[in-house]
Amino acid sequence: MCIFCKIVKGKLPSNKVAENDSFLAFHDINPQAPIHVLVIPKLHVECFQDTAGEMMAEMTPFIQKVATKLGLDSNGYRLITNNGDDGGQEVKHLHFHLLGGTKLKWDRMVADPKAENI
Ligand code: AMP
């Protein structure tokens, strides 16, 4: 069982922000911004590429409500999902990073973008 499934089942602790029958939001254990929350489906889906559009249709308003609850809706936030190995996904259970609470930087993704065929 993956670590996020263990969190969903209460076998690992988490600092919860919000939940409903289908989704859970909790604070990231290693925050990269003043507010860094992870939003996951309770159903195990490995990554965004494997995610049904119907799930995203339900997840979108949940994420928006979490952002509002955290007070991020007026000043803005960043929503990221890392997909697969090249995307830097470490936990293979779909999750969206919701980051905010300050003006976020937008740094380069690779050492030399021009040398990386992007
Ligand atoms: P990713 O690299 O996109 O797969 O992101 C995985 C995220 O999960 C990282 O930001 C970790 O800090 C976070 N993380 C890993 N284990 C836990 C945990 N037990 N509780 C909260 N966040 C976690």
Side-chain angles (χ1 to χ4, degrees):
M1 188 187 296
C2 83
I3 58 169
F4 288 176
C5 281
K6 285 183 183 164
I7 286 174
V8 167
K9 294 189 186 313
K11 292 180 178 176
L12 276 179
S14 70
N15 187 359
K16 285 182 194 179
V17 174
E19 73 176 319
N20 65 16
D21 287 347
S22 305
F23 306 107
L24 173 65
F26 54 98
H27 289 277
D28 195 292
I29 205 167
N30 183 23
Q32 302 298 311
I35 296 172
H36 185 174
V37 163
L38 301 174
V39 187
I40 67 170
K42 290 187 173 179
L43 187 73
H44 182 88
V45 178
E46 183 164 318
C47 63
F48 181 76
Q49 191 63 25
D50 290 348
T51 302
E54 291 79 3
M55 177 181 276
M56 286 313 306
E58 289 180 33
M59 203 167 181
T60 297
F62 182 78
I63 295 170
Q64 290 164 340
K65 278 181 202 149
V66 171
T68 300
K69 185 171 183 178
L70 293 165
L72 299 175
D73 51 322
S74 52
N75 280 356
Y77 54 85
R78 188 165 297 152
L79 188 66
I80 297 172
T81 188
N82 296 325
N83 188 95
D85 291 338
D86 276 5
Q89 184 180 7
E90 287 179 4
V91 179
K92 300 292 197 281
H93 181 130
L94 175 69
H95 53 282
F96 286 89
H97 297 258
L98 179 57
L99 300 137
T102 190
K103 183 96 179 161
L104 297 167
K105 287 195 280 183
W106 181 248
D107 281 343
R108 56 176 58 199
M109 303 286 170
V110 293
D112 182 359
K114 291 194 180 101
E116 297 274 350
N117 266 342
I118 56 172

